Amino acid sequence: MKRTDLSSHAELKWLLDSCHIDVPSLHFVDEIDLSYFDLFGCLKLVLVNGHKLPTRQVALKEAVVEVFNCRKGESVYPWVETVTVDQVICCISETPIAFVVEMTAERRAYSKLTCYCSAQDCSCCSLIAEKLFLTSPELLAGQRFSELLLAGILMDTGNLTSPHCTTKDKYMATLLLNGAGRFGSNGFYQIMRYKMYNISDLKVVDILRKDFKKWTRGKPDPTGSRSMVSKIGMSSIGISLEQFLAHERSSKEEIKYFQRGVGEGSVTHDCIRIYDAEKNFKREILVSAESVELMRNLLSFFSSNASHLPLKAIHRPSLRDDMKAFEIDEVASRKTIERLLEEFGGASKG
C-alpha cells in the first residue's frame, strides 16, 4: 500500500504500535522505484498470496523468482522454480496427509507419484508461519513476530470460526498463541475487529480505499474510444451494507465520486456480515456501474455464473438505477468473487 493509505487502517496502525514497529522506518510501495533496481538486474520478487503481478507492474515479471501461496496450476511464470501451493489434501497409498506443496523444477521433473488433491483456502499467514516454524523457528519465539502472524490468521478466518477455516489455521494459531499476550486469542481478535470496523471517523473514500483491488482488460482504441478498455474494481469494507449506506458521511454521490476517481467502469463493494447467533458468514455486494447498460451486462454475467455465485437481490428503493444490492445465498470466498470479476473484465472488453 501507499504510506498515505495507512491512515485508513486503524487496525494496522494499532497492530504496528503494539508490536513496537517504527512506522517511519518502513518502506511503502510508492517510495521504491522497482524499475530502477530491475534495470540493473538486482531485483528479485516473491509473489505472496497471488500468482501474477498486477497490470501496472507486469513489466517486472522477469524478476519474479518465487510464487508463495497460489492454487495448483495457477502460476503463469514457467521459469519460476519455487512455487508454494496453498494447502492440499494428498492421498498416497491410502494415507491422507495435509501439507504444503513446495516443488522445485528438479523435483517436478523426477516426480512420478500420482496424487489426488483438493485445494483449500487457508490463511496465507498460516503458510508463512509454517514455513518459518520448519526453517527458522527462533523467529517465532518472540511475541511481536508471533503477534503479526496471529493477527493475520484470526482476521482471515473470523477468529477461527469461518467455514473456510482449515485445520492448518487452527494449528498454527495455537503455536502462535503467545502473540496474543495478556488479551488472549479472543480478546486480541475483538480489539482488531473493533479497530477495523470502526468507521465513525472515516470518510466514504477512506472506507472504500481500505481494501481496494482493480483489474484492467483490453487495449485503448487509437481513436480515443473507451469501449475497448474494461475496468473493474472491488472494495472489501468489512461491514454490512445497511451500516455502510447509513453512515453519516455516506451518500450514493460520494460512492460515484470514488468510482470516477479511480477510473472504474464498474465497482463492487463487498461487505461481510454475521447474520446469526452461530456466527455463520454471508456476503453482501453493492454493485455500482458506470451506466445502466453496463449494469445489465454485469447482471447477465452473474446470472450465467449463478452456480459459482448465487445472488439474491436486496430491494433498496433508495439506490440509483445503476446500483444494485445482493446477498450471496451460499458461503462464497472473496477469491471466488475476485476471479469472476476478473473474468468479466476480460470477457467484456470490446
Side-chain angles (χ1 to χ4, degrees):
M1 65 169 67
K2 297 179 180 179
R3 184 177 291 274
T4 54
D5 290 343
L6 187 61
S7 61
S8 301
H9 295 268
E11 75 284 0
L12 291 184
K13 293 172 65 177
W14 178 84
L15 181 63
L16 293 174
D17 182 64
S18 176
C19 294
H20 302 294
I21 293 176
D22 181 39
V23 174
S25 68
L26 297 178
H27 295 289
F28 290 74
V29 70
D30 56 326
E31 300 169 343
I32 303 174
D33 185 1
L34 296 180
S35 60
Y36 171 85
F37 295 97
D38 188 47
L39 179 65
F40 290 95
C42 54
L43 178 67
K44 293 183 179 181
L45 299 177
V46 178
L47 301 185
V48 180
N49 209 26
H51 64 287
K52 62 181 178 180
L53 288 167
T55 304
R56 66 181 182 279
Q57 294 176 334
V58 71
L60 305 174
K61 64 180 182 180
E62 298 293 337
V64 177
V65 297
E66 181 176 352
V67 179
F68 187 85
N69 191 32
C70 68
R71 288 181 179 271
K72 184 177 178 64
E74 253 188 353
S75 179
V76 295
Y77 306 127
W79 61 85
V80 175
E81 295 186 353
T82 304
V83 178
T84 302
V85 182
D86 62 0
Q87 187 184 39
V88 299
I89 303 300
C90 183
C91 185
I92 303 176
S93 300
E94 300 182 350
T95 303
I97 307 171
F99 68 113
V100 175
V101 177
E102 184 176 5
M103 296 282 281
T104 64
E106 182 179 1
R107 289 175 183 169
R108 283 196 296 265
Y110 290 97
S111 177
K112 300 298 182 182
L113 295 175
T114 300
C115 304
Y116 300 92
C117 302
S118 175
Q120 300 177 17
D121 290 330
C122 68
S123 170
C124 183
C125 286
S126 295
L127 297 182
I128 294 174
E130 181 184 55
K131 190 177 184 71
L132 291 176
F133 180 76
L134 295 174
T135 59
S136 306
E138 67 278 4
L139 291 177
L140 301 180
Q143 179 182 343
R144 304 310 175 190
F145 207 82
S146 295
E147 185 175 353
L148 288 171
L149 291 171
L150 180 62
I153 296 173
L154 295 181
M155 297 307 291
D156 285 345
T157 63
N159 201 17
L160 306 178
T161 63
S162 166
H164 295 285
C165 179
T166 66
T167 302
K168 185 184 295 294
D169 293 322
K170 295 177 181 179
Y171 180 69
M172 298 314 301
T174 301
L175 290 180
L176 299 170
L177 193 57
N178 69 312
R182 59 189 173 86
F183 302 113
S185 180
N186 185 62
F188 179 54
Y189 168 75
Q190 294 301 334
I191 293 174
M192 290 287 294
R193 187 173 182 273
Y194 172 78
K195 296 287 185 181
M196 174 178 282
Y197 295 164
N198 182 17
I199 61 172
S200 57
D201 295 328
L202 296 181
K203 299 179 181 179
V204 169
V205 172
D206 293 327
I207 296 173
L208 297 176
R209 188 185 290 141
K210 284 187 68 172
D211 191 354
F212 179 73
K213 185 174 183 179
K214 67 179 179 179
W215 304 267
T216 302
R217 290 293 180 272
K219 297 180 180 179
D221 189 345
T223 63
S225 172
R226 300 175 60 194
S227 61
M228 295 185 68
V229 179
S230 175
K231 297 181 179 180
I232 306 293
M234 178 173 168
S235 298
S236 185
I237 62 178
I239 57 175
S240 72
L241 187 56
E242 183 177 2
Q243 286 178 283
F244 177 61
L245 295 177
H247 189 259
E248 62 179 357
R249 302 185 184 186
S250 178
S251 72
K252 288 71 177 177
E253 287 68 31
E254 287 173 304
I255 296 173
K256 284 296 182 181
Y257 174 77
F258 172 80
Q259 184 174 340
R260 290 191 297 270
V262 296
E264 304 309 312
S266 174
V267 176
T268 70
H269 309 298
D270 178 32
C271 316
I272 308 173
R273 67 186 177 103
I274 298 175
Y275 75 98
D276 65 16
E278 296 179 356
K279 295 186 178 180
N280 294 317
F281 285 78
K282 273 195 175 182
R283 289 184 182 272
E284 298 172 317
I285 58 175
L286 172 65
V287 181
S288 175
E290 190 177 50
S291 65
V292 176
E293 180 183 1
L294 181 57
M295 175 63 75
R296 284 197 295 264
N297 292 338
L298 185 59
L299 294 182
S300 176
F301 177 79
F302 281 156
S303 178
S304 63
N305 288 274
S307 59
H308 302 291
L309 193 68
L311 299 178
K312 179 182 178 182
I314 301 176
H315 181 61
R316 299 194 73 92
S318 61
L319 292 179
R320 302 160 43 129
D321 291 340
D322 51 6
M323 286 183 174
K324 299 291 183 183
F326 301 93
E327 184 180 84
I328 302 177
D329 277 348
E330 299 177 5
V331 175
S333 69
R334 184 183 173 185
K335 286 186 178 181
T336 298
I337 301 174
E338 289 181 353
R339 288 189 181 100
L340 283 176
L341 288 176
E342 189 172 3
E343 184 180 336
F344 174 76
S348 61
K349 66 182 179 181

